[in-house]
Amino acid sequence: MTPSLTWLDPDEPFPCVDDSWGHDSPAPGLLAAGATLDVWRLKAAYANGIFPWFSQGQPILWWSPDPRMVLYPAEFKLHNSLRKTIKRFRTLPSCEVRIDSDFSAVINACSSSPRSGQSGTWIVPAMIEAYEQLHAAGTAHSVETWVDGKLVGGLYCIAIGRAVFGESMFAHATDASKVALSALVGLCRTQGVEMIDCQQNTAHLASLGGREVSRAQFLTKVHEARANDELDWTFKPVYWDSLLSSPSSV
């Protein structure tokens, strides 16, 4: 039997995340539908462990899955091949990491990147517009891989205090998205971020050290982190040092 679903009016608060659909439902983790993608609504969602995810032609759907896939920066698996890539990358004048230099290009590239097992994208035009507004408000950020003056990979994420929520990555060159993710992990390690939200479990994230935690554990960490000072979204070479000083992974 399909459970009932809360439909939100534009100004209506989110229901309790414990009301999300369970594992025996058609859509585990689904919490509510409707409302808007305004900046205040998105901030309220992420601050409470909720995120929007829907396809073109669907209403806005809000999710809070249990368990939750996360990446602890301290547990990031820097495999030897990626370690060599980063060592080489940081020495070449033609290679650089930039933060927030072209958020629009990053989110649009993420939207158009093909995904294994998916025929379309959840980063629909309404989402792009909403997250560009969130970026203008200082809450959404892009970490970018540049080579020879061209954007070749990157990711975008949300940050509230020291709570960081990863959204999507893209790569137009080998390891370009992994370089951006490594830079984000280095930033988080250096500035005391304990956890990066990855939302859904994937083999790729698991290979880099991601793991599942209960929603209750996740929300406890989010509530602690969001109360801290905002991060400094400037890339610094010391971020590489924090990664390369870690033991190698196979």
Side-chain angles (χ1 to χ4, degrees), residues 157-172:
C157 60
I158 310 301
I160 301 175
R162 276 174 165 70
V164 176
F165 309 85
E167 283 294 312
S168 186
M169 301 188 295
F170 82 96
H172 292 161

Side-chain angles (χ1 to χ4, degrees), residues 67-242:
R68 190 81 164 223
M69 188 71 167
V70 301
L71 176 63
Y72 291 93
E75 299 177 4
F76 182 66
K77 293 181 179 179
L78 185 63
H79 298 288
N80 286 332
S81 59
L82 182 56
R83 179 184 293 272
K84 291 176 182 177
T85 296
I86 290 173
K87 283 184 174 180
R88 181 173 182 273
F89 184 93
R90 71 179 303 192
T91 63
L92 297 176
S94 59
C95 298
E96 61 179 319
V97 169
R98 302 178 190 175
I99 294 180
D100 290 338
S101 75
D102 200 339
F103 181 89
S104 181
V106 170
I107 192 170
N108 276 279
C110 289
S111 174
S112 61
S113 294
R115 309 288 177 188
S116 177
Q118 299 182 20
S119 58
T121 178
W122 56 271
I123 311 174
V124 298
M127 290 280 276
I128 293 174
E129 180 181 358
Y131 282 75
E132 287 181 340
Q133 292 175 359
L134 202 58
H135 171 65
T139 306
H141 301 276
S142 57
V143 182
E144 308 155 7
T145 304
W146 290 76
V147 176
D148 293 326
K150 296 181 180 179
L151 177 65
V152 297
L155 61 85
Y156 71 98
C157 60
I158 310 301
I160 301 175
R162 276 174 165 70
V164 176
F165 309 85
E167 283 294 312
S168 186
M169 301 188 295
F170 82 96
H172 292 161
T174 302
D175 287 339
S177 61
K178 290 181 181 179
V179 167
L181 177 60
S182 299
L184 175 62
V185 169
L187 182 153
C188 289
R189 280 187 178 183
T190 305
Q191 298 191 48
V193 174
E194 291 187 33
M195 181 183 74
I196 301 171
D197 176 33
C198 302
Q199 299 178 352
Q200 306 274 1
N201 192 341
T202 68
H204 173 64
L205 289 169
S207 73
L208 297 174
R211 58 185 170 95
E212 291 182 332
V213 299
S214 71
R215 181 167 57 213
Q217 289 176 287
F218 172 75
L219 289 175
T220 296
K221 288 295 185 182
V222 168
H223 292 161
E224 292 172 353
R226 75 185 191 187
N228 292 326
D229 294 336
E230 298 291 332
L231 296 168
D232 176 9
W233 288 93
T234 306
F235 184 76
K236 300 174 182 178
V238 68
Y239 299 158
W240 290 142
D241 296 336
S242 70

